[in-house]
Amino acid sequence: MRTAKKEKALSVGLDKILTVYYNTVCMRRIASRGRSAASDTLPRRCLPRRNRMQGGMDMTHVLLEKKEHIAVATINRPKALNALNSEVLSDLNELVDTVAADPDIYALVITGSGEKAFVAGADIGEMSTLTKEGGEAFGKHGNDVFRRIETLPIPTIAAVNGFALGGGCELSMSCDIRICADTAVFGQPETGLGITPGFGGTQRLARLVSPGMAKQLIYTAKNIKADEAYRIGLVNAVYPLEELMPAAEKLAQTIAKNAPIAVRACKKAINDGLQTDMDQAIVIEEKLFGSCFETADQKEGMGAFLEKRKHEPYQNK
Ligand code: CAA
């Protein structure tokens, strides 16, 4: 007779066998394709089933894993150091659709696959033959996607695990919070390639650090290491590489434990307020502050305090 314990052990064992099988088959397939293969991405169907998200996702270059109320998106084009071509940008757009449509996701972490790069920039091969109109369209594609990431209602964290150059630095800056590995390298090398930053770098870097520092980084096209990125306020914290993802997930989980509607209201208040003058910004905060009093989570949070008990998990209501 099978006990519940035996059933569980069998199912865990089967899961492990399937995972090894999927990985082996996929690695063989990738190895047999060689470096010249058109796709350098681990196919989504090769992920163990439990790592995939439900829903209508069809992304080749972005892997998405949901853990309780947080989601971790991994840009997965390691052979090109996760460089952003049009396909990756479209996948990021789909990522935004998927995450925005899932009310159970309270925070999103974005990172890069492999140990070398977060994202080494926009794809130079794809850009090399663009015309003026093509360049503008490519810039608009990236800018539209990054603006959607920036304005996602939920908090976003860039876990920068290596090179974050050009479009990679710009992607990290479209997230709310940046933390990085001690191996990370940031920079806007575009002027060295004969172009300007094209996915918001001139605007977000100047706002995030200072206009003078942004101009120095952009004009010189010089890269900076993690400690310098921390010193100028581009990243909030630096971790040994192996500690980066646990730290990013812990940070996301900590945020996800707070009242989700209140957290989203804070993001909106900060983002919208920064784009206007202080008189209007304060009004934006007042409205959002007031809206919290219509939520069940506010009643539970304050009720628990007054009753000297720990609040129940917030319901996003
Ligand atoms: N676009 C396309 N391919 C890229 C890439 C990019 N941005 N960055 C790296 N790759 C590819 C390389 O071509 C190489 O491919 P092959 O193996 O097929 O030759 C592979 O990734 C590995 O790269 P390297 O061999 O160069 O690795 P490395 O360790 O010697 O150097 C690096 C790493 C310093 C990051 C170097 O790859 C590099 O300088 N990359 C370009 C960085 C850059 O200039 N980014 C800005 C792009 S412009 C931009 O992003 C504009 C914008 O704002 C929209």
Side-chain angles (χ1 to χ4, degrees):
M1 203 177 72
R2 284 185 181 174
T3 61
K5 211 171 172 183
K6 271 188 192 159
E7 287 279 3
K8 193 174 172 203
L10 266 175
S11 120
V12 170
L14 188 62
D15 204 18
K16 271 192 188 152
I17 290 165
L18 278 175
T19 302
V20 170
Y21 169 77
Y22 276 125
N23 288 344
T24 311
V25 169
C26 292
M27 289 309 165
R28 277 203 197 126
R29 199 179 300 160
I30 285 167
S32 70
R33 274 202 229 117
R35 281 175 74 76
S36 60
S39 168
D40 41 15
T41 295
L42 190 68
R44 182 171 164 257
R45 63 181 173 279
C46 294
L47 275 180
R49 190 169 290 277
R50 67 192 149 80
N51 282 352
R52 296 188 217 152
M53 277 197 50
Q54 304 297 313
M57 280 189 346
D58 185 21
M59 302 185 295
T60 312
H61 298 294
V62 178
L63 310 175
L64 187 55
E65 193 179 352
K66 197 169 152 184
K67 301 178 175 182
E68 297 170 31
H69 285 299
I70 71 163
V72 178
T74 306
I75 299 173
N76 185 36
R77 201 187 164 212
K79 282 190 179 168
L81 302 187
N82 305 320
L84 302 171
N85 60 13
S86 296
E87 279 181 33
V88 183
L89 290 175
S90 296
D91 282 355
L92 283 170
N93 204 34
E94 174 126 11
L95 169 74
V96 174
D97 287 341
T98 306
V99 169
D102 188 336
D104 278 341
I105 299 177
Y106 298 168
L108 171 68
V109 177
I110 300 181
T111 192
S113 69
E115 298 204 331
K116 200 167 165 183
F118 173 69
V119 166
D123 191 296
I124 297 172
E126 183 172 342
M127 286 185 295
S128 61
T129 55
L130 291 178
T131 58
K132 175 175 176 278
E133 290 73 24
E136 245 180 78
F138 189 67
K140 180 167 168 41
H141 192 185
N143 269 329
D144 287 352
V145 175
F146 286 13
R147 185 75 180 127
R148 290 194 72 209
I149 292 173
E150 186 171 45
T151 55
L152 254 177
I154 58 167
T156 51
I157 299 167
V160 179
N161 55 311
F163 288 111
L165 303 178
C169 187
E170 291 165 315
L171 173 61
S172 79
M173 291 191 292
S174 71
C175 294
D176 296 320
I177 294 169
R178 282 152 298 289
I179 61 174
C180 74
D182 51 10
T183 54
V185 175
F186 294 80
Q188 299 287 162
E190 288 88 348
T191 55
L193 293 165
I195 56 172
T196 68
F199 296 164
T202 55
Q203 302 310 306
R204 292 195 181 92
L205 191 57
R207 285 165 171 77
L208 265 173
V209 292
S210 66
M213 185 56 79
K215 285 172 179 168
Q216 182 174 325
L217 288 171
I218 291 170
Y219 299 169
T220 62
K222 292 254 184 251
N223 295 339
I224 55 169
K225 292 186 177 164
D227 54 353
E228 177 68 353
Y230 178 71
R231 193 187 69 77
I232 65 172
L234 184 55
V235 296
N236 290 7
V238 182
Y239 298 90
L241 179 60
E242 64 280 8
E243 289 173 25
L244 176 67
M245 286 315 290
E249 288 179 19
K250 191 173 167 201
L251 179 57
Q253 297 283 11
T254 303
I255 293 170
K257 284 198 174 74
N258 287 328
I261 295 172
V263 172
R264 292 199 297 269
C266 291
K267 173 166 177 170
K268 190 167 170 49
I270 294 169
N271 282 0
D272 292 0
L274 280 173
Q275 290 183 35
T276 185
D277 63 69
M278 187 57 92
D279 289 325
Q280 290 188 52
I282 286 298
V283 174
I284 291 172
E285 187 187 87
E286 279 164 18
K287 299 269 179 234
L288 287 161
F289 177 69
S291 71
C292 293
F293 290 86
E294 288 183 334
T295 67
D297 287 344
Q298 172 269 330
K299 295 190 177 26
E300 169 58 18
M302 292 194 174
F305 176 82
L306 294 174
E307 291 159 22
K308 301 194 185 307
R309 61 176 172 82
K310 196 174 167 336
H311 66 74
E312 294 296 327
Y314 287 121
Q315 298 297 312
N316 194 19
K317 285 182 185 150

